[in-house]
Amino acid sequence: METNRGSTDTLEAPRVRADALNAQVRRLRYAVWALATAFVVMAAAWGASLFGASAGGARLTAGRGGTAGGASPGMEWPLAAEVDFLSPLQSLAHAQTPWERFAHLGPAAKDLVDQGELELARAYAQELAEIAPYYQEFGSEDAIEDLNVVFGRIAVRDGDIDAAKRHLRLAGKAPGSPTRSSFGPNMSLAKDLLEEGEIAAVVRFFEDCRQFWEMDRGRLTEWTRIARAGGIPDFGANLVY
Protein backbone atom coordinates (compact mmCIF):
# COMPACT_ATOMS: atom_id res chain seq x y z
CA MET A 1 0.00 0.00 0.00
CA GLU A 2 2.85 2.37 0.78
CA THR A 3 4.25 1.78 -2.71
CA ASN A 4 0.95 2.69 -4.34
CA ARG A 5 0.63 5.87 -2.26
CA GLY A 6 4.16 6.88 -3.18
CA SER A 7 3.44 6.25 -6.85
CA THR A 8 0.29 8.40 -6.67
CA ASP A 9 2.18 11.20 -4.94
CA THR A 10 4.85 11.01 -7.62
CA LEU A 11 2.22 11.44 -10.34
CA GLU A 12 0.30 14.20 -8.54
CA ALA A 13 3.29 16.43 -7.74
CA PRO A 14 4.07 17.40 -11.37
CA ARG A 15 0.36 17.94 -12.03
CA VAL A 16 0.07 20.34 -9.08
CA ARG A 17 3.17 22.21 -10.23
CA ALA A 18 1.79 22.40 -13.78
CA ASP A 19 -1.54 23.80 -12.53
CA ALA A 20 0.27 26.42 -10.49
CA LEU A 21 2.44 27.35 -13.46
CA ASN A 22 -0.61 27.68 -15.72
CA ALA A 23 -2.27 30.00 -13.21
CA GLN A 24 0.89 32.14 -13.05
CA VAL A 25 1.05 32.32 -16.84
CA ARG A 26 -2.63 33.33 -17.02
CA ARG A 27 -2.12 36.09 -14.44
CA LEU A 28 1.00 37.31 -16.25
CA ARG A 29 -0.89 37.42 -19.55
CA TYR A 30 -3.62 39.59 -18.09
CA ALA A 31 -1.07 41.81 -16.36
CA VAL A 32 0.60 42.46 -19.73
CA TRP A 33 -2.76 43.24 -21.36
CA ALA A 34 -3.71 45.57 -18.50
CA LEU A 35 -0.46 47.49 -18.98
CA ALA A 36 -1.09 47.65 -22.71
CA THR A 37 -4.62 48.95 -22.09
CA ALA A 38 -3.28 51.62 -19.75
CA PHE A 39 -0.78 52.66 -22.42
CA VAL A 40 -3.58 52.96 -25.01
CA VAL A 41 -5.65 55.10 -22.64
CA MET A 42 -2.72 57.43 -21.88
CA ALA A 43 -1.80 57.71 -25.54
CA ALA A 44 -5.39 58.48 -26.53
CA ALA A 45 -5.69 61.08 -23.78
CA TRP A 46 -2.46 62.71 -24.94
CA GLY A 47 -3.71 62.74 -28.53
CA ALA A 48 -7.05 64.21 -27.46
CA SER A 49 -5.34 67.02 -25.56
CA LEU A 50 -3.00 67.67 -28.48
CA PHE A 51 -5.57 67.72 -31.27
CA GLY A 52 -8.66 68.76 -29.33
CA ALA A 53 -11.13 65.88 -29.38
CA SER A 54 -14.80 66.77 -29.63
CA ALA A 55 -17.15 66.20 -26.71
CA GLY A 56 -19.37 63.15 -26.34
CA GLY A 57 -16.97 60.27 -26.87
CA ALA A 58 -17.72 56.65 -27.60
CA ARG A 59 -19.67 54.42 -25.24
CA LEU A 60 -17.93 51.40 -23.74
CA THR A 61 -19.77 48.65 -25.58
CA ALA A 62 -17.94 45.70 -24.06
CA GLY A 63 -18.92 46.39 -20.47
CA ARG A 64 -22.06 47.23 -18.53
CA GLY A 65 -22.30 50.65 -20.18
CA GLY A 66 -20.71 54.07 -19.74
CA THR A 67 -17.24 55.27 -20.63
CA ALA A 68 -14.00 53.66 -19.64
CA GLY A 69 -12.74 54.44 -16.15
CA GLY A 70 -10.27 57.30 -16.17
CA ALA A 71 -11.06 58.24 -19.76
CA SER A 72 -11.83 61.79 -20.74
CA PRO A 73 -15.40 62.44 -22.02
CA GLY A 74 -14.24 63.00 -25.58
CA MET A 75 -12.01 59.95 -25.88
CA GLU A 76 -13.00 57.02 -28.07
CA TRP A 77 -12.42 53.55 -26.70
CA PRO A 78 -10.79 51.13 -29.18
CA LEU A 79 -12.86 47.97 -29.02
CA ALA A 80 -14.12 45.40 -31.50
CA ALA A 81 -17.44 45.68 -33.31
CA GLU A 82 -20.61 46.49 -31.36
CA VAL A 83 -22.16 43.42 -29.74
CA ASP A 84 -24.79 45.08 -27.51
CA PHE A 85 -27.59 43.11 -29.19
CA LEU A 86 -26.06 39.82 -28.06
CA SER A 87 -26.75 38.06 -24.77
CA PRO A 88 -23.95 38.13 -22.15
CA LEU A 89 -22.95 34.57 -23.03
CA GLN A 90 -22.90 35.37 -26.74
CA SER A 91 -20.92 38.53 -26.06
CA LEU A 92 -18.38 36.52 -24.09
CA ALA A 93 -18.08 34.05 -26.97
CA HIS A 94 -17.39 36.98 -29.33
CA ALA A 95 -14.73 38.54 -27.09
CA GLN A 96 -11.58 39.17 -29.10
CA THR A 97 -9.24 40.57 -26.44
CA PRO A 98 -8.55 39.84 -22.75
CA TRP A 99 -10.19 43.19 -21.92
CA GLU A 100 -13.41 42.23 -23.69
CA ARG A 101 -13.39 38.85 -21.95
CA PHE A 102 -12.96 40.60 -18.60
CA ALA A 103 -15.88 42.90 -19.38
CA HIS A 104 -18.26 40.03 -20.23
CA LEU A 105 -17.27 37.40 -17.67
CA GLY A 106 -19.43 38.80 -14.85
CA PRO A 107 -22.68 39.21 -16.81
CA ALA A 108 -22.18 35.78 -18.41
CA ALA A 109 -21.61 34.14 -15.02
CA LYS A 110 -24.79 35.73 -13.64
CA ASP A 111 -26.78 34.41 -16.59
CA LEU A 112 -25.37 30.93 -16.03
CA VAL A 113 -26.60 30.93 -12.43
CA ASP A 114 -30.10 31.73 -13.68
CA GLN A 115 -29.79 28.82 -16.13
CA GLY A 116 -28.66 26.43 -13.39
CA GLU A 117 -25.17 26.01 -14.90
CA LEU A 118 -23.51 26.46 -11.51
CA GLU A 119 -20.11 24.89 -12.15
CA LEU A 120 -19.45 26.94 -15.27
CA ALA A 121 -20.73 30.05 -13.47
CA ARG A 122 -18.31 29.30 -10.63
CA ALA A 123 -15.43 28.87 -13.06
CA TYR A 124 -16.17 32.19 -14.78
CA ALA A 125 -16.46 33.99 -11.42
CA GLN A 126 -13.16 32.48 -10.28
CA GLU A 127 -11.45 33.62 -13.48
CA LEU A 128 -12.93 37.09 -12.95
CA ALA A 129 -11.58 37.15 -9.38
CA GLU A 130 -8.10 36.27 -10.66
CA ILE A 131 -7.91 38.96 -13.33
CA ALA A 132 -9.90 41.82 -11.73
CA PRO A 133 -6.84 43.22 -9.87
CA TYR A 134 -5.23 43.96 -13.24
CA TYR A 135 -8.15 46.17 -14.26
CA GLN A 136 -8.49 48.34 -11.16
CA GLU A 137 -8.53 51.49 -13.29
CA PHE A 138 -10.93 50.10 -15.88
CA GLY A 139 -14.15 48.98 -14.21
CA SER A 140 -13.13 46.38 -11.64
CA GLU A 141 -15.73 47.80 -9.22
CA ASP A 142 -18.55 46.21 -11.22
CA ALA A 143 -16.54 42.99 -11.50
CA ILE A 144 -16.18 42.78 -7.71
CA GLU A 145 -19.94 43.01 -7.34
CA ASP A 146 -20.56 40.50 -10.14
CA LEU A 147 -18.26 37.80 -8.80
CA ASN A 148 -19.61 38.12 -5.25
CA VAL A 149 -23.19 37.95 -6.50
CA VAL A 150 -22.34 34.79 -8.43
CA PHE A 151 -20.45 33.12 -5.57
CA GLY A 152 -23.20 34.11 -3.14
CA ARG A 153 -26.04 32.76 -5.27
CA ILE A 154 -24.18 29.49 -5.76
CA ALA A 155 -23.66 29.30 -1.99
CA VAL A 156 -27.42 29.68 -1.46
CA ARG A 157 -28.03 26.78 -3.79
CA ASP A 158 -25.37 24.75 -1.96
CA GLY A 159 -27.12 25.45 1.34
CA ASP A 160 -24.25 27.56 2.72
CA ILE A 161 -26.22 30.61 3.83
CA ASP A 162 -23.39 32.04 5.94
CA ALA A 163 -21.10 32.12 2.90
CA ALA A 164 -23.88 33.72 0.85
CA LYS A 165 -24.30 36.48 3.45
CA ARG A 166 -20.54 37.13 3.42
CA HIS A 167 -20.60 37.55 -0.34
CA LEU A 168 -23.60 39.86 -0.09
CA ARG A 169 -21.67 42.06 2.34
CA LEU A 170 -18.64 42.10 0.01
CA ALA A 171 -20.87 43.06 -2.93
CA GLY A 172 -22.30 45.95 -0.90
CA LYS A 173 -18.85 47.11 0.12
CA ALA A 174 -17.48 47.13 -3.45
CA PRO A 175 -16.28 50.60 -4.51
CA GLY A 176 -18.77 52.75 -6.35
CA SER A 177 -18.75 53.04 -10.12
CA PRO A 178 -20.66 55.19 -12.65
CA THR A 179 -23.00 52.28 -13.34
CA ARG A 180 -23.66 51.39 -9.71
CA SER A 181 -24.11 55.00 -8.58
CA SER A 182 -26.75 55.62 -11.25
CA PHE A 183 -28.53 52.33 -12.04
CA GLY A 184 -27.75 50.72 -8.71
CA PRO A 185 -26.51 47.28 -7.63
CA ASN A 186 -27.61 43.83 -8.68
CA MET A 187 -30.26 42.57 -6.24
CA SER A 188 -30.50 38.91 -7.26
CA LEU A 189 -28.46 37.65 -4.28
CA ALA A 190 -30.44 39.91 -1.93
CA LYS A 191 -33.66 38.41 -3.30
CA ASP A 192 -32.34 34.87 -2.83
CA LEU A 193 -31.49 35.61 0.80
CA LEU A 194 -34.84 37.25 1.50
CA GLU A 195 -36.45 34.06 0.25
CA GLU A 196 -34.33 32.26 2.87
CA GLY A 197 -35.60 34.62 5.59
CA GLU A 198 -32.30 36.49 5.99
CA ILE A 199 -33.91 39.90 6.48
CA ALA A 200 -31.22 41.47 8.68
CA ALA A 201 -28.41 40.68 6.22
CA VAL A 202 -30.34 42.15 3.32
CA VAL A 203 -31.33 45.30 5.21
CA ARG A 204 -27.67 45.82 6.09
CA PHE A 205 -26.85 45.38 2.41
CA PHE A 206 -29.37 48.11 1.54
CA GLU A 207 -27.60 50.41 3.99
CA ASP A 208 -24.25 49.65 2.37
CA CYS A 209 -25.75 50.49 -1.02
CA ARG A 210 -26.71 53.96 0.22
CA GLN A 211 -23.01 54.82 0.29
CA PHE A 212 -22.67 54.70 -3.49
CA TRP A 213 -26.17 54.64 -5.06
CA GLU A 214 -26.70 58.33 -5.54
CA MET A 215 -29.81 58.02 -7.73
CA ASP A 216 -31.90 55.39 -5.92
CA ARG A 217 -34.91 57.79 -5.82
CA GLY A 218 -36.19 56.34 -2.57
CA ARG A 219 -36.07 52.73 -3.69
CA LEU A 220 -33.73 51.59 -0.91
CA THR A 221 -36.05 53.09 1.72
CA GLU A 222 -39.09 51.39 0.18
CA TRP A 223 -37.30 48.07 -0.24
CA THR A 224 -36.14 48.22 3.38
CA ARG A 225 -39.71 48.79 4.55
CA ILE A 226 -41.00 45.84 2.52
CA ALA A 227 -38.20 43.52 3.65
CA ARG A 228 -38.67 44.37 7.33
CA ALA A 229 -42.38 43.59 6.92
CA GLY A 230 -41.46 40.13 5.67
CA GLY A 231 -42.05 40.79 1.99
CA ILE A 232 -39.88 40.61 -1.10
CA PRO A 233 -39.62 43.84 -3.09
CA ASP A 234 -40.11 44.02 -6.83
CA PHE A 235 -36.48 44.74 -7.74
CA GLY A 236 -37.30 45.14 -11.42
CA ALA A 237 -34.29 45.80 -13.63
CA ASN A 238 -31.94 45.53 -10.64
CA LEU A 239 -32.20 41.77 -10.95
CA VAL A 240 -30.45 42.13 -14.30
CA TYR A 241 -27.82 44.87 -13.87
Side-chain angles (χ1 to χ4, degrees):
M1 297 298 294
E2 292 295 326
T3 302
N4 290 340
R5 186 181 303 113
S7 177
T8 301
D9 292 343
T10 302
L11 292 172
E12 287 295 330
R15 184 180 307 164
V16 171
R17 287 195 297 269
D19 290 343
L21 179 60
N22 288 336
Q24 291 177 355
V25 169
R26 185 166 61 249
R27 286 193 290 269
L28 178 61
R29 182 184 64 185
Y30 278 104
V32 170
W33 272 98
L35 288 172
T37 301
F39 175 78
V40 170
V41 169
M42 289 187 292
W46 176 80
S49 64
L50 183 63
F51 296 106
S54 60
R59 183 167 49 85
L60 179 60
T61 60
R64 294 169 63 180
T67 55
S72 62
M75 185 178 67
E76 294 186 355
W77 192 259
L79 294 178
E82 290 253 357
V83 291
D84 280 355
F85 63 94
L86 300 178
S87 71
L89 287 168
Q90 290 172 324
S91 297
L92 181 62
H94 282 74
Q96 298 180 17
T97 67
W99 159 254
E100 288 179 317
R101 182 168 180 81
F102 163 74
H104 292 302
L105 273 171
K110 289 187 292 187
D111 267 17
L112 286 168
V113 174
D114 289 331
Q115 295 175 19
E117 299 287 344
L118 301 186
E119 290 309 310
L120 186 55
R122 194 195 312 270
Y124 283 173
Q126 184 58 50
E127 181 181 351
L128 188 60
E130 290 180 5
I131 66 178
Y134 301 112
Y135 293 96
Q136 291 182 8
E137 300 299 324
F138 308 102
S140 64
E141 301 91 346
D142 293 337
I144 293 171
E145 177 190 280
D146 286 346
L147 66 90
N148 278 291
V149 166
V150 171
F151 284 139
R153 298 194 72 198
I154 293 173
V156 171
R157 284 149 180 78
D158 288 343
D160 192 346
I161 301 302
D162 286 340
K165 290 192 292 186
R166 287 194 298 272
H167 284 295
L168 182 69
R169 192 70 195 276
L170 290 171
K173 293 294 186 182
S177 71
T179 300
R180 298 173 81 230
S181 65
S182 54
F183 297 104
N186 183 284
M187 291 289 170
S188 55
L189 176 55
K191 181 176 183 290
D192 287 350
L193 285 171
L194 282 177
E195 291 173 348
E196 297 292 329
E198 298 294 338
I199 297 172
V202 174
V203 167
R204 184 173 63 177
F205 173 67
F206 291 159
E207 291 303 312
D208 289 338
C209 292
R210 292 185 190 277
Q211 304 304 311
F212 62 82
W213 195 3
E214 301 170 359
M215 301 173 63
D216 77 304
R217 295 179 294 179
R219 277 172 285 188
L220 288 172
T221 299
E222 177 64 10
W223 292 347
T224 298
R225 182 190 65 79
I226 294 172
R228 283 177 170 162
I232 298 178
D234 178 4
F235 292 115
N238 287 90
L239 294 176
V240 180
Y241 293 141

